[in-house]
């Protein structure tokens, strides 16, 4: 059963192996704080939707299952949006348009279709937590690289006297701005994917001929 | 036919349950959200006009300049705070801007917006509006990147649409303030 949890972190990592959820990855990974917020939102929605879709798998008619999944997922996203707006308005403001976009995050619909509608509630929860954690960790890695290179900072939550921004000496005054743009996001994700493929597969399978 | 009705009924039940849950969550969160919005506007108004008494909002019939608040000090209107609507990369930009009576911009705050985090969203940061302060009166509001200093232009690279949206709205606000003064 524990395999259902651990598979999403590395072996079936949603971003670098299954290649799902790339749009939000490219969009929000400009700052570390955005990745933390987006990751938490995706874990919540993924877990909630997996639980309900697993519970309702015998009730949802086979030929309209996708619209039914979308209703469940959209409801959870709207709940996240309303609660975040009321309880953490600064995080809601910083995530901007990306919170509603969780609805169309392929990981969530993908896990509902590929896993939750065929498995038990417990297995679906573990799958959601593993996939959500794998997504969050990957997103954090991409955003850490992008923010450090593109802005020379690491932005976290402000706490007490700490304003939440750590400046990286050297880079803060001479950042590589292209990494902060969409093309920079594609470069970072592409290189990380190549590195992971190189590590996981033999060079031939990974398409590398060194 | 019977099968289609059964499928429709099940989908209706799922939708009704979702609507019920959303209604309950909205019932508990809506007052808090409204309160936070109100506080945000109050704080922004105070930030723009720290001195003087801010009057009631007066709506205008304009798609960009939505309303204005007169700022009164010792019984005299000394400045205006204008609510503006610009067009950004992610949709509408709500801006509150303070102007002297001659149309010179004294302060501006970007409020609700859907700009990209790390790019257009940077317009919310302190210091972003500095490039516009002091313009609108004798000097025109810079609406093109070429009208900015090199370091200011570099600061808006990657978010030119946001910059243009804010600049054009601020420029329209300055013109409206001049018009209000002419009507006095």
């Amino acid at each position: 059963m524990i395999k259902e949890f651990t598979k999403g972190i590395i072996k079936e990592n949603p971003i670098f192996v299954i290649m799902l959820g790339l749009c939000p990855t490219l969009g929000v990974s400009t700052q570390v704080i955005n990745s933390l917020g987006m990751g938490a939102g995706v874990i919540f929605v993924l877990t909630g939707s997996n639980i309900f879709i697993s519970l309702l798998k015998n009730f949802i008619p086979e030929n309209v299952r996708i619209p039914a999944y979308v209703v469940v997922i959209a409801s959870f996203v709207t709940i996240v949006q309303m609660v975040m707006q009321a309880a953490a308005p600064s995080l809601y403001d910083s995530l901007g348009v990306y919170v509603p976009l969780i609805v169309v995050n392929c990981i969530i619909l993908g896990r509902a279709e590929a896993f939750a509608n065929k498995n038990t509630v417990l297995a679906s929860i573990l799958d959601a937590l593993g996939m959500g954690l794998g997504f969050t960790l990957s997103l954090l890695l991409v955003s850490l690289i992008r923010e450090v290179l593109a802005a020379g900072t690491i932005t976290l939550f402000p706490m007490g006297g700490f304003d939440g921004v750590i400046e990286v000496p050297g880079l803060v005054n001479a950042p590589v701005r292209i990494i902060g743009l969409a093309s920079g996001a594609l470069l970072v994700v592409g290189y990380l994917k190549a590195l992971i493929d190189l590590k996981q597969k033999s060079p031939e399978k990974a398409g590398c001929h060194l | 036919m019977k099968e289609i009705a059964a499928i429709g009924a099940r989908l209706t039940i799922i939708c009704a349950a979702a609507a019920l849950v959303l209604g309950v969550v909205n019932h508990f969160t809506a007052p808090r959200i409204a309160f936070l919005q109100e506080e945000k506007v109050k704080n922004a108004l105070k930030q723009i006009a720290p001195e003087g008494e801010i009057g009631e909002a007066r709506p205008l019939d304009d798609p960009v300049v939505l309303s204005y608040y007169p700022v009164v000090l010792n019984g005299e209107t000394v400045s205006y705070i204008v609510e503006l609507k610009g067009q950004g990369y992610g949709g509408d930009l709500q801006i509150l801007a303070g102007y002297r009576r001659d149309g010179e911009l004294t302060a501006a705050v970007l409020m609700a917006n859907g700009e990209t985090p790390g790019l257009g969203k940077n317009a919310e940061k302190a210091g972003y509006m500095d490039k516009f302060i002091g313009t609108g009166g004798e000097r025109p509001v810079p609406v093109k990147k070429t009208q900015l200093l090199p370091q200011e232009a570099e600061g808006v690279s990657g978010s030119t649409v946001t910059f243009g949206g804010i600049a054009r709205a601020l420029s329209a606000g300055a013109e409206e303030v001049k018009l209000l003064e002419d009507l006095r």
Side-chain angles (χ1 to χ4, degrees), chain B residues 125-171:
Chain B
K125 288 183 181 171
Y128 183 91
M129 298 293 183
D130 288 357
K131 57 181 89 49
F132 301 112
I133 306 298
T135 65
E138 287 179 13
R139 280 192 298 142
V141 175
V143 291
K144 289 180 186 167
K145 267 171 79 172
T146 49
Q147 293 171 291
L148 297 174
L149 296 171
Q151 66 268 31
E152 290 173 339
E154 198 191 331
V156 299
S157 67
S159 56
T160 315
V161 177
T162 312
F163 163 74
I166 292 172
R168 282 188 294 275
L170 291 175
S171 179

Side-chain angles (χ1 to χ4, degrees), chain A residues 90-163:
Chain A
S90 56
L91 180 63
Y92 177 79
D93 287 344
S94 78
L95 283 177
V97 294
Y98 297 116
V99 179
L101 283 182
I102 297 176
V103 176
V104 287
N105 188 321
C106 308
I107 298 168
I108 297 166
L109 192 60
R111 296 323 291 170
E113 174 70 356
F115 196 90
N117 75 342
K118 300 181 186 81
N119 289 282
T120 62
V121 174
L122 182 61
S124 300
I125 293 173
L126 291 171
D127 176 77
L129 291 175
M131 285 287 164
L133 194 62
F135 174 74
T136 307
L137 292 174
S138 307
L139 199 56
L140 275 174
L141 177 65
V142 177
S143 60
L144 186 67
I145 294 170
R146 287 187 69 197
E147 190 182 354
V148 166
L149 292 177
T153 56
I154 300 170
T155 311
L156 303 165
F157 292 98
M159 271 179 284
F162 172 55
D163 67 354

Side-chain angles (χ1 to χ4, degrees), chain B residues 82-106:
Chain B
V82 180
E83 186 191 359
L84 304 162
K85 189 169 91 173
Q87 275 300 312
Y89 189 74
D92 291 345
L93 303 164
Q94 188 202 359
I95 305 157
L96 285 174
Y99 296 90
R100 284 189 221 283
R101 286 171 54 183
D102 63 354
E104 187 181 310
L105 186 76
T106 54

Side-chain angles (χ1 to χ4, degrees), chain A residues 2 25 38 61-62 74 77 103 129 137 146 155 209:
Chain A
I2 198 75
T25 304
M38 175 58 101
E62 176 67 14
V77 172
V103 176
L129 291 175
L137 292 174
R146 287 187 69 197
T155 311
H209 304 286

